Amino acid sequence: MAGESSVAPLYITMHEADNVAIVANDGGLPAGTRFPSGLTLVDKVPQGHKVALVDLPAGAPVRRYNVTIGRAMRDIAAGSWVHERLLEMPDARSLEALPIATVKQAPRAPLAGYTFEGYRNADGSVGSRNILAITTTVQCVAGVVEHAVRRIKDELLPKYPNVDDVVGLEHTYGCGVAIDAPGAEIPIRTLRNITLNPNFGNEVMVVSLGCEKLQPERLLPPGSFAIVDERNVADIGATEAAKLDVVCLQDDAHVGFMSMIDSILATAEEHLERLNGRRRETVPASELVVGVQCGGSDAFSGVTANPAVGFCADLLVSAGATVMFSETTEVRDGIDQLTSRATTPEVAAAMIHEMAWYDAYLQRGSADRSANTTPGNKKGGLSNIVEKAMGSIVKSGSAPISGVLSPGEKLRDRGITSGLVYAATPASDFICGTLQVAAGINLHVFTTGRGTPYGLAEVPVIKVATRSDLARRWHDLMDVNAGRIADGGATIEEVGWELFRLMLEVASGRKKTWAEHWKLHNALVLFNPAPVT
């Protein structure tokens, strides 16, 4: 960092080999500004945008994070504003001849002694919340379920103080789709696994219309899930099918709208009674299952918030917890960094498979990875997906990557109970969050530079601001201000530890996130690559 105080002109470089830096000052800096290094701005440069540190002739590589993020399309003088219109994006990294499991790290010292108060489930998972979830098989029932959930919250929930919330798992899938086509298994298993999220206490309740393609038996077939504890082994789908409660709105027994609502309320109360009998107990931090994601990213995402999340991810892995990172198009350009960190060649091969699958998926839609970056990303200083990817990957930390999930898969179905995992998802905030809930997270961390009120009803979402200006303006939406790292008020390590301790408080229910406080919840969006009829 150049400069001596927070009011001096500042720029930030990520590596000594970089030939561009980002302007750190709020509001940017005007042309003619002289940095202590002697560099003088030729142009006005907005905050977070890049300035050339040296003369860059046409065709020269432009380097940030010690990675070529593009080539100069014309001569660029030192001190000039370097933006997306001046850069030619490099081709995607080939998926051939990648480094495979080449990074061999020394064993990490265990991080022992950290606990939280969670809800132990009979299947061995642990929830951070105690929520009644009502699964829907088709969008047609959404209005009825929404009405019923309001009634449940108003009339029933006060009677069951140990239940945190009631949520309807509404979505836009279930009918009008090619349900047997290749790719249709993704939304189906996603919804199935969301139903089994640890925060729902193994209570399964379904509302069906009756005529939809996604019948309850197809969504949750016999033997599709089990509740297991040391005293009893019961396969709900096969041996205790009566516990799979389905309210079918087209049943002859329902005469009128209120009959449907009364049936949903009566069924819900049975589940509420069981959930209300549960109590939090002290569990080790190894029971945390944390999903990390970024949205509304800017050039500071890879400088402040994501590195702090990455440091925290390493702490979590050292404590025996599970951390998953995702967003395929936002890691595609760093695939060599990921395959080299794989614990085994098989894990590396699985990551390569997911990248190739998504490359083909985008190609079918006549799109490529460059479609990822948004107008807000570019306004925040990110010129293209290559630059964005370098800042996105860093939130995975440095731990070995020990597992890979395909879209909609669940950690426990793959036998994964700890470590750093790559969960393949689109980069869309809502779809990524939905797929991570299906994978089994009980806590979510979301970094943002431009700002977004994103939240999930199913798991607590901790929001991390990349800039102090955003944290100040959105003071009652952001939970952690990582902008202090750029300001010089805190280190990456300090913010990482702050986030780690906050996770334990939030997972214990001792602290609510701002998204929980305001009840800001994005809709579930199922990833459906199959045709719609």
Side-chain angles (χ1 to χ4, degrees), residues 392-449:
S392 179
I393 286 174
V394 72
K395 66 180 179 291
S396 70
S398 61
I401 301 169
S402 57
V404 178
L405 297 179
S406 293
E409 286 189 327
K410 187 171 63 168
L411 287 163
R412 286 180 172 270
D413 286 348
R414 284 296 191 93
I416 299 172
T417 57
S418 65
L420 180 65
V421 176
Y422 176 67
T425 77
S428 160
D429 297 347
F430 340 111
I431 299 177
C432 176
T434 298
L435 287 167
Q436 289 192 348
V437 171
I441 62 171
N442 53 23
L443 197 62
H444 195 55
V445 176
F446 192 100
T447 68
T448 184

Side-chain angles (χ1 to χ4, degrees), residues 308-325:
V309 170
F311 181 86
C312 183
D314 288 346
L315 294 177
L316 289 165
V317 171
S318 296
T322 307
V323 179
M324 70 177 69
F325 69 107

Side-chain angles (χ1 to χ4, degrees), residues 119-123 125-135 163-170 190-205 227 271-272 274-276 278 434 437-438 440-442 456-460 524:
Y119 292 98
R120 278 203 178 275
N121 298 317
D123 67 355
S125 64
V126 173
S128 65
R129 294 293 182 267
N130 191 29
I131 297 171
L132 171 61
I134 302 176
T135 299
V163 180
D164 294 312
D165 203 359
V166 179
V167 300
L169 303 181
E170 300 169 8
T190 299
L191 183 57
R192 176 184 303 139
N193 288 332
I194 289 173
T195 300
L196 307 177
N197 184 274
N199 285 356
F200 303 152
N202 295 143
E203 295 291 330
V204 178
M205 175 180 169
I227 293 178
H271 293 276
L272 288 170
R274 288 194 290 270
L275 287 170
N276 195 57
R278 290 154 50 81
T434 298
V437 171
I441 62 171
N442 53 23
L456 293 168
E458 297 76 20
V459 299
L524 294 173

Side-chain angles (χ1 to χ4, degrees), residues 18 39 55 120 127 131 143 157 186 213 231 236 239 276 323 368-369 378 456 529:
D18 290 354
L39 180 72
D55 291 337
R120 278 203 178 275
I131 297 171
L157 203 55
I186 291 176
K213 291 183 179 179
R231 297 159 296 177
I236 282 185
T239 61
N276 195 57
V323 179
D368 64 23
R369 73 201 203 284
K378 293 175 181 177
L456 293 168

Side-chain angles (χ1 to χ4, degrees), residues 19 41 60 68 110 137 162 166 252 264 266 276 280 316-317 319 334 346 348 357 399 402 424 484 496:
N19 54 21
L41 290 184
T68 298
T137 56
N162 294 321
V166 179
D252 292 342
I264 293 173
N276 195 57
R280 291 185 182 272
L316 289 165
V317 171
E346 291 74 20
W357 186 94
S402 57
R484 292 173 294 148

